[in-house]
Amino acid sequence: MREMTIGQFFPGTSFVHRLDPRTKLLIMLAYIVLVFLVKGFVGYGVLAVFLLAACLSAKVKIGYLLKTIKPIIVIVFITFVLNLFFTEGETPWLSLGPVKIYPEGVRFAVMMALRLIFLLMGTSLLTLTTSPMALTDALERLLKPLNKLHFPVHELSMMMTIALRFIPTLMEETDKIMKAQAARGADFDTGNLIDKAKAMLPLLVPLFVSAFRRADDLALAMEARCYHGGDRRTRMKELHYAKIDGIAAALTLLATLGIVAERIFL
Amino acid sequence: MPVEVRNLSHIYDAGGPFAFRALEDVSFRIADGEFVAVIGHTGSGKSTLVQHLNGLSKPTSGTVFVGNLNLSDKNTSLKEVRKKVGLVFQYPEYQLFEETVKADIGFGPKNLGLDAEEINDRVREAMELTELDYAELAEKSPFELSGGQKRRVAIAGVLAMEPDILILDEPAAGLDPAGRDNILSLIKKWHESGKTIIMVSHSMDDVADLAQHILVMNHGKLEMEGTPEEIFSKGQRLQEIGLGVPAVTALAMRLNALGFALPSNLYRMEDMEQALLHALKGGKHV
Ligand SMILES: Nc1ncnc2c1ncn2[C@@H]1O[C@H](COP(=O)(O)OP(=O)(O)OP(=O)(O)O)[C@@H](O)[C@H]1O
Ligand SMILES: [Mg+2]
């Protein structure tokens, strides 16, 4: 359970780590749009260079970033196969009875698979280099204008922060309770679906009990320290844009121009 | 049933970015019917160690034998192991989940595949062993009980599996003094009735009172092993690795610093009394 690579954060002091989380979030947004804009392999080339540069300057091993694809490899494969068989073109490359493979299909399938891989690697790079707290903080700042529409931005981000904060705690707790029940001979792995669902009870009940207790304790502790909603709260860590944010934005703009040019001229 | 641990190492998240060596080359032997205490600073690997003794954690390298069962062997039935070795976790009351005390204590025996009558007998017996009143508590929800009672229900849940070896991870943590004394005197009784006891503890006084054999963990290694006399005569070293010594030993060390010449292996009140009387009568103090 602790071996999950998606969403894990590696602290560091690299160029990418030091960027303002708002910048990273906005660049991520641009990156996602770009991934969907890309039309051909030139565009992917531009994106690959961009991702590689980000990866190198973040001092994240490329092998590690590639490993983050592992959980979705099956989805990538299915997408690839479906597109391969169901895209129609003019002259088939290969026809085995009713199954025909067109060059357009191959091209499209590769593009779609690449799209997924690029999306995941990009988002992984973001979460690897930005703490969840910084991300929710950035999100709160960026969404602040919505406050005017009475959208509870602060409350939402506080909830996200708390949820993120407790994910590792709950995982640890799950691990511990599973072991404790296994010590009493509980078996979580064998039997049919109904047996397995029943076997979860000794795990879920203690987990919920402790989650509610934790929630209670936390609410009390927050109140004891006079926490009250969003208005006029000051922050311990103010976010400031710096020169490196400008550099990163400029580089992103460059990549965007490249991909837009591809779309228009190629 | 003896326990034998040979060159046991455990690495959490082995090969991963957060790999952590929690146990390193630990070897020891526990004889049948011994009362063993495992002590060590926070994070020294005590809990990790005891979880290897009933197969909940798998060694990264090394072997664990319980009787003639090799726990690293894939063919060893874990059910068999857990029947023989009962493990009570730290804060075991957090694992209670059934609607009644009776059902919760019966969870272990039920998993062993016993029939209803046998389960009932075992529940009664386990409640007796933990001084819980069957008539009053059996049908209650475990969540309504006091902290000390909850703890005893959780322990009863393990005792009901009738293990030969009972491991308790910090059984007295977080209880009031009365609850603590109660649990410790019960553990003493179970030991006297023939069970092998392995107790993880932070309290040197409890260890001094009860243990016959002490394992001292320090940063994942077995730093010392021996009888209480042997271990507590090395008070200096214990303090260096972040542990205390029993109050009696501390007193002896302080008195010796003031010029007394008390033996260095004092850890029991009776022995202290004798030694002091002897020293004072002999007029050895300055
Ligand atoms: N599931 C886990 N994954 C990764 N590391 C762990 C895990 N469980 C424990 N550790 C680490 O292994 C080390 C030993 O932990 P362990 O729980 O065995 O210590 P302990 O001696 O029982 O401490 P305490 O007195 O606090 O209970 C600690 O540094 C801990 O952070
Ligand atoms: Mg522990």
Side-chain angles (χ1 to χ4, degrees), chain A residues 155-170:
Chain A
E155 283 72 11
L156 203 71
S157 86
M158 183 52 104
M159 269 155 50
M160 264 174 71
T161 310
I162 292 175
L164 285 170
R165 152 71 185 76
F166 278 101
I167 287 175
T169 314
L170 280 180

Side-chain angles (χ1 to χ4, degrees), chain B residues 34-37 211-216 222 224-232 234:
Chain B
E34 260 188 320
F35 195 125
V36 182
Q212 301 167 324
H213 179 173
I214 301 180
L215 304 173
V216 184
L222 184 62
M224 299 181 218
E225 186 196 355
T227 62
E229 271 185 42
E230 287 165 353
I231 299 296
F232 291 130
K234 294 173 191 141

Side-chain angles (χ1 to χ4, degrees), chain A residues 118-222:
Chain A
F118 269 85
L119 271 181
L120 194 74
M121 294 216 297
T123 37
S124 297
L125 192 61
L126 177 70
T127 54
L128 280 173
T129 57
T130 321
S131 78
M133 296 298 160
L135 274 181
T136 45
D137 204 13
L139 200 65
E140 180 178 356
R141 299 306 197 76
L142 290 173
L143 292 182
K144 218 169 180 180
L146 291 182
N147 253 336
K148 296 224 169 63
L149 304 174
H150 298 289
F151 185 78
V153 176
H154 170 76
E155 283 72 11
L156 203 71
S157 86
M158 183 52 104
M159 269 155 50
M160 264 174 71
T161 310
I162 292 175
L164 285 170
R165 152 71 185 76
F166 278 101
I167 287 175
T169 314
L170 280 180
M171 299 238 281
E172 240 168 67
E173 192 118 332
T174 311
D175 198 46
K176 220 176 76 185
I177 297 173
M178 264 175 115
K179 276 186 174 170
Q181 305 297 27
R184 294 206 276 165
D187 184 353
F188 297 105
D189 302 323
T190 51
N192 59 33
L193 213 59
I194 296 175
D195 287 340
K196 273 190 190 163
K198 268 197 199 147
M200 292 313 275
L201 214 60
L203 176 61
L204 291 180
V205 174
L207 208 55
F208 271 99
V209 170
S210 94
F212 281 121
R213 199 191 50 237
R214 265 182 218 291
D216 249 4
D217 289 352
L218 183 67
L220 263 180
M222 283 168 79

Side-chain angles (χ1 to χ4, degrees), chain A residues 2-3 8-10 64 176-177 179-186 201-202 205-206 209 213, chain B residues 13 17-18 51 54 56-57 82 87 89 94-97 104 107-108 111 143 157-158 161:
Chain A
R2 284 165 191 253
E3 283 163 17
Q8 210 165 40
F9 167 57
F10 277 104
Y64 194 79
K176 220 176 76 185
I177 297 173
K179 276 186 174 170
Q181 305 297 27
R184 294 206 276 165
L201 214 60
V205 174
V209 170
R213 199 191 50 237
Chain B
D13 198 14
F18 297 107
Q51 283 170 22
N54 75 342
L56 278 177
S57 291
R82 297 200 177 137
L87 173 58
F89 272 70
Y94 293 151
Q95 75 207 32
L96 300 174
F97 71 99
D104 208 289
F107 180 66
N111 288 328
F143 296 101
V158 174
M161 298 174 76

Side-chain angles (χ1 to χ4, degrees), chain A residues 45 49 98 191 199 230 240 250:
Chain A
V49 170
H240 294 292

Side-chain angles (χ1 to χ4, degrees), chain B residues 64-181:
Chain B
V64 180
F65 278 91
V66 174
N68 49 15
L69 292 173
N70 179 353
L71 303 203
S72 317
D73 189 344
K74 280 204 182 63
N75 300 322
T76 304
S77 146
L78 282 178
K79 216 171 210 168
E80 206 55 39
V81 175
R82 297 200 177 137
K83 216 154 121 187
K84 292 193 166 119
V85 185
L87 173 58
V88 179
F89 272 70
Q90 220 161 339
Y91 297 103
E93 53 274 24
Y94 293 151
Q95 75 207 32
L96 300 174
F97 71 99
E98 278 283 9
E99 284 171 57
T100 63
V101 167
K102 196 171 130 185
D104 208 289
I105 298 175
F107 180 66
K110 202 170 105 196
N111 288 328
L112 293 182
L114 303 176
D115 59 50
E117 201 176 328
E118 171 83 24
I119 293 176
N120 217 333
D121 287 347
R122 290 215 181 179
V123 171
R124 275 176 188 278
E125 205 171 321
M127 286 184 75
E128 207 163 294
L129 282 172
T130 44
E131 293 180 355
L132 293 161
D133 185 26
Y134 187 89
E136 184 196 348
L137 298 174
E139 300 296 336
K140 270 202 172 170
S141 158
F143 296 101
E144 291 170 13
L145 308 181
S146 75
Q149 282 175 325
K150 274 188 199 166
R151 173 90 38 110
R152 277 180 285 149
V153 170
I155 298 178
V158 174
L159 282 175
M161 298 174 76
E162 299 189 346
D164 297 322
I165 301 170
L166 182 64
I167 307 175
L168 302 121
D169 198 344
E170 307 255 5
L175 294 180
D176 59 16
R180 204 195 105 219
D181 289 348

